[in-house]
Amino acid sequence: YELMRYSGDMPNCRSDNDNAVFELAVQRRIISSYSESDFSVPVTRLFVAQTMVSALGYLKRSIGTVSDSADASLSTIAYYGYFIPDDNNRLYPNSAVTDKEFDMLISELKLYQKLKNKKLTVFGDSIAYGYGNQITSTTFEGYAEIIGRKYGMNYKKYAVTGSVMGKTDGKCHIAEI
């Protein structure tokens, strides 16, 4: 209930009505079905990931070598930093979300609500451009795209590889772009 609420999907039900909450999750295609035994099961990382990807409309992403991420939703949430893989690059999708993780998730979702539809403008060089983070043969993803998508912001990137912020002869000057 809290995840759906802070993801911007305002449930039209009471948080203590388990049937209504689970039915809403089925309607939103977060889960395919449920039973009464699910009411007492701890919330797993995979369930949280599926809820957030569905509610926030994230495109599913891969973070490469995460060894136990069979579901692209979990990989997407790890890509945006909601769950951090351990030293062995594992996410443990069936692990229960800890109180500390849940508090962090709610804090991030509140920030999402605050920043959603705001404007983000980024000026910069190769790092801002996304050099080293190539998505396709012609597409690079810099921090404008990552932050903008994570928080539902409208973003514009003014970044050129090899550019400088201060005037330097023979170099592209960001302020002149």
Side-chain angles (χ1 to χ4, degrees):
Y1 178 84
E2 292 294 315
L3 286 172
M4 287 188 285
R5 189 178 103 177
Y6 285 114
S7 297
D9 191 3
M10 298 303 281
N12 188 19
C13 61
R14 291 181 23 194
S15 62
D16 61 349
N17 183 340
D18 291 335
N19 279 315
V21 171
F22 275 82
E23 188 57 39
L24 189 63
V26 169
Q27 289 172 9
R28 303 292 193 270
R29 296 187 178 163
I30 296 165
I31 57 174
S32 58
S33 63
Y34 68 94
S35 67
E36 282 194 30
S37 64
D38 292 327
F39 299 165
S40 60
V41 175
V43 176
T44 66
R45 287 178 164 191
L46 181 57
F47 180 80
V48 167
Q50 291 169 336
T51 301
M52 290 178 69
V53 166
S54 174
L56 300 179
Y58 286 153
L59 297 175
K60 294 191 177 179
R61 300 291 311 239
S62 170
I63 59 171
T65 60
V66 172
S67 60
D68 61 358
S69 181
D71 187 282
S73 298
L74 188 61
S75 185
T76 302
I77 296 306
Y79 176 84
Y80 286 115
Y82 291 107
F83 289 129
I84 309 300
D86 69 7
D87 292 340
N88 295 318
N89 226 11
R90 294 184 182 276
L91 291 167
Y92 303 101
N94 297 318
S95 293
V97 175
T98 66
D99 289 341
K100 184 177 178 180
E101 287 173 327
F102 192 79
D103 290 345
M104 186 275 304
L105 287 165
I106 296 302
S107 175
E108 281 287 305
L109 290 171
K110 286 179 182 178
L111 186 57
Y112 177 90
Q113 287 301 316
K114 190 177 190 178
L115 296 175
K116 185 177 180 183
N117 296 321
K118 301 280 189 205
K119 291 182 181 179
L120 171 66
T121 305
V122 172
F123 296 90
D125 58 7
S126 57
I127 295 170
Y129 183 76
Y131 187 78
N133 193 21
Q134 192 166 353
I135 305 304
T136 68
S137 61
T138 59
T139 307
F140 294 84
E141 189 173 57
Y143 51 83
E145 290 92 349
I146 295 169
I147 293 168
R149 286 189 191 116
K150 179 178 181 179
Y151 295 114
M153 301 173 77
N154 300 310
Y155 55 89
K156 183 69 178 164
K157 175 173 69 174
Y158 298 96
V160 177
T161 300
S163 60
V164 295
M165 295 303 283
K167 281 196 175 241
T168 303
D169 288 338
K171 291 279 191 172
C172 174
H173 183 223
I174 288 292
E176 294 173 350
I177 294 178

